């Protein structure tokens, strides 16, 4: 069975601080996909990134970066120089490749509050 | 295209009443999903459709729940004889499997959700 754990339920930072959101996953499959979604107060989940299990290269997109480490089953997300607009709930999710329905298993989410 | 639309955004009902939610996916997407999200938790999978066929249902979907996608376009999720435990945000998402070898790689586009409160 697949499982995603986001141990940090809430993080509060001051604007311009860097912040890392942790994600640890469990799966028995060798091929799988990891995702991060952002849920702002409006409620709509917004896709941020997808990585497959064979690509461990770190990725950077503007102020966002992701660190995927299979050895520790982690897929952490760092926001550099945080801004108030980054305040949201962030979800990590897992999908196994042989999962015909592409059912995503989500973690419990991390609420990020960025204060001015 | 305005993305995935859900209606109503909020519904308050009394225990025992029936409620129906509607989802209009992105028009070219062949897959449609329903998820449920309770307060402080991540979304949980309920069911999904490929075109008009309902291909998978979670054990969370009791027999009081029924979902349809009659013409492979919009979908409805009906909850009969609502219970207080049904109070949650019901999220709809859609995706396209075109060009994908692995359905697990599918990127879902979510709607803003329909929040149900059962009194």
């Amino acid at each position: 069975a697949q499982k995603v754990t986001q141990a940090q339920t809430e993080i509060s930072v001051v604007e311009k601080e860097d912040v890392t959101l942790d994600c640890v996953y469990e799966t028995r499959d060798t091929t799988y996909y990891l995702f991060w979604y952002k849920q702002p107060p409006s409620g709509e989940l917004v896709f941020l990134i997808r990585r497959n299990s064979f690509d461990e290269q770190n990725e950077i997109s503007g102020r966002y970066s992701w660190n995927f480490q299979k050895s520790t089953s982690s897929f952490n997300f760092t926001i550099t120089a945080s801004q108030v607009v980054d305040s949201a709930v962030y979800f990590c999710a897992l999908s196994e490749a042989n999962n015909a329905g592409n059912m995503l298993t989500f973690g419990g989410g991390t609420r990020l509050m960025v204060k001015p | 295209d305005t993305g995935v639309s859900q209606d109503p955004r909020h519904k308050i009902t009394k225990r025992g009443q029936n409620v129906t939610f509607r989802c209009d996916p992105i028009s070219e997407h062949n897959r449609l999903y329903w998820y449920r999200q309770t307060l402080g938790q991540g979304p949980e999978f309920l069911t999904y459709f490929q075109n008009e066929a309902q291909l998978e249902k979670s054990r969370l979907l009791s027999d009081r729940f029924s979902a349809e996608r009659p013409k492979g376009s919009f979908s409805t999720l009906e909850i009969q004889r609502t219970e207080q435990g049904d109070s949650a945000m019901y999220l709809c998402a859609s995706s396209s499997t075109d060009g994908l070898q692995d359905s697990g790689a599918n990127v879902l586009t979510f709607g803003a959700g329909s929040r149900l409160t059962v009194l």
Side-chain angles (χ1 to χ4, degrees):
Chain A
Q2 51 191 33
K3 184 179 177 183
V4 177
T5 302
Q6 295 179 254
Q8 306 148 308
T9 53
E10 224 172 83
I11 299 176
S12 181
V13 299
V14 176
E15 210 171 16
K16 297 184 184 175
E17 282 185 15
D18 298 347
V19 58
T20 296
L21 310 182
D22 297 333
C23 172
V24 174
Y25 62 91
E26 295 175 31
T27 176
R28 280 179 274 189
D29 273 20
T30 54
T31 304
Y32 51 88
Y33 296 85
L34 295 163
F35 301 78
W36 276 93
Y37 279 86
K38 173 182 180 179
Q39 189 174 40
S42 59
E44 192 168 325
L45 282 152
V46 176
F47 167 75
L48 295 177
I49 190 171
R50 175 191 66 199
R51 300 308 298 274
N52 74 53
S53 52
F54 296 109
D55 183 1
E56 286 193 71
Q57 279 192 343
N58 291 334
E59 181 155 340
I60 299 175
S61 175
R63 296 184 298 107
Y64 295 172
S65 62
W66 290 269
N67 184 326
F68 176 30
Q69 293 196 337
K70 283 178 81 168
S71 59
T72 55
S73 297
S74 66
F75 185 42
N76 297 337
F77 172 30
T78 297
I79 301 174
T80 303
S82 59
Q83 299 177 1
V84 173
V85 293
D86 296 327
S87 297
V89 182
Y90 291 86
F91 290 98
C92 181
L94 168 70
S95 175
E96 293 169 341
N98 64 359
N99 160 12
N102 179 223
M103 289 163 279
L104 288 172
T105 296
F106 284 86
T110 298
R111 179 178 299 278
L112 174 65
M113 292 174 289
V114 182
K115 299 177 183 176
Chain B
D1 198 334
T2 56
V4 178
S5 299
Q6 293 189 244
D7 185 70
R9 292 293 311 280
H10 303 275
K11 178 73 177 179
I12 301 174
T13 191
K14 292 183 179 178
R15 188 165 51 94
Q17 298 294 305
N18 298 344
V19 296
T20 299
F21 301 115
R22 175 180 169 124
C23 172
D24 288 273
I26 292 173
S27 56
E28 59 266 28
H29 284 181
N30 56 343
R31 284 198 174 178
L32 185 147
Y33 305 78
W34 286 99
Y35 281 76
R36 182 172 71 185
Q37 185 179 19
T38 52
L39 206 59
Q41 303 297 317
E44 295 173 293
F45 171 81
L46 292 179
T47 188
Y48 93 97
F49 294 83
Q50 174 123 345
N51 301 312
E52 65 275 11
Q54 187 174 18
L55 297 184
E56 189 82 28
K57 289 197 287 188
S58 159
R59 284 173 290 180
L60 291 174
L61 214 64
S62 77
D63 55 9
R64 295 184 298 104
F65 288 69
S66 62
E68 293 183 344
R69 193 183 184 198
K71 296 180 181 177
S73 57
F74 73 93
S75 174
T76 57
L77 176 68
E78 181 183 16
I79 309 174
Q80 296 182 324
R81 305 181 303 281
T82 52
E83 302 173 356
Q84 286 183 328
D86 297 331
S87 295
M89 177 80 87
Y90 290 86
L91 295 167
C92 177
S94 68
S95 71
S96 171
T97 55
D98 288 349
L100 281 179
Q101 291 185 321
D102 256 337
S103 62
N106 238 342
V107 173
L108 274 58
T109 301
F110 283 84
S114 292
R115 182 171 295 285
L116 173 65
T117 302
V118 182
L119 302 175

